[in-house]
Amino acid sequence: SAREAKRYKELKLLERAGEISNLELQPHFLLQDSFKKNGRTYRKIEYVADFKYIEKGKIIVEDVKGIQTDVFKIKHKLFEKIYPELELKIIT
């Protein structure tokens, strides 16, 4: 999205200025492993954020959203439960 591209440029400037470090694009976070039940295989559930970086010693995960879908809201809750040490910032 255009908003995501704009935010990426902002983050690159912050990284060059030394305000943030270790900028990653599209980091994946496992929310549930794949599993089998009654002969059926269920795929893993992942949350793919837009960015991940370190700011003032803290790992920040960032997602640029126009609207928050129901699926996103569920994944957001799971992410917060599974990864309490990470800070998730939603940029609207």
Side-chain angles (χ1 to χ4, degrees):
S1 76
R3 252 192 256 180
E4 190 177 325
K6 181 181 178 224
R7 183 61 181 152
Y8 174 69
K9 288 178 185 174
E10 292 169 355
L11 290 171
K12 285 302 283 181
L13 286 172
L14 289 171
E15 187 175 42
R16 274 193 287 263
E19 296 291 319
I20 66 170
S21 62
N22 297 65
L23 179 61
E24 282 181 47
L25 302 178
Q26 307 290 306
H28 290 240
F29 299 91
L30 183 65
L31 300 177
Q32 179 181 293
D33 282 320
S34 63
F35 65 96
K36 292 184 181 198
K37 180 180 177 183
N38 299 328
R40 182 173 172 201
T41 300
Y42 293 84
R43 293 182 351 181
K44 66 183 175 183
I45 299 172
E46 285 187 314
Y47 167 57
V48 181
D50 292 324
F51 311 107
K52 181 174 120 180
Y53 53 88
I54 297 173
E55 181 178 48
K56 298 176 184 162
K58 203 170 184 186
I59 299 172
I60 308 294
V61 177
E62 203 173 273
D63 217 336
V64 179
K65 289 281 177 220
I67 58 166
Q68 292 187 21
T69 64
D70 289 342
V71 170
F72 172 77
K73 289 175 185 177
I74 291 168
K75 286 185 175 186
H76 181 190
K77 279 186 187 179
L78 289 169
F79 177 89
E80 294 291 1
K81 171 84 172 151
I82 296 166
Y83 300 97
E85 72 282 4
L86 303 179
E87 182 178 331
L88 180 60
K89 287 186 180 179
I90 311 298
I91 306 296
T92 54

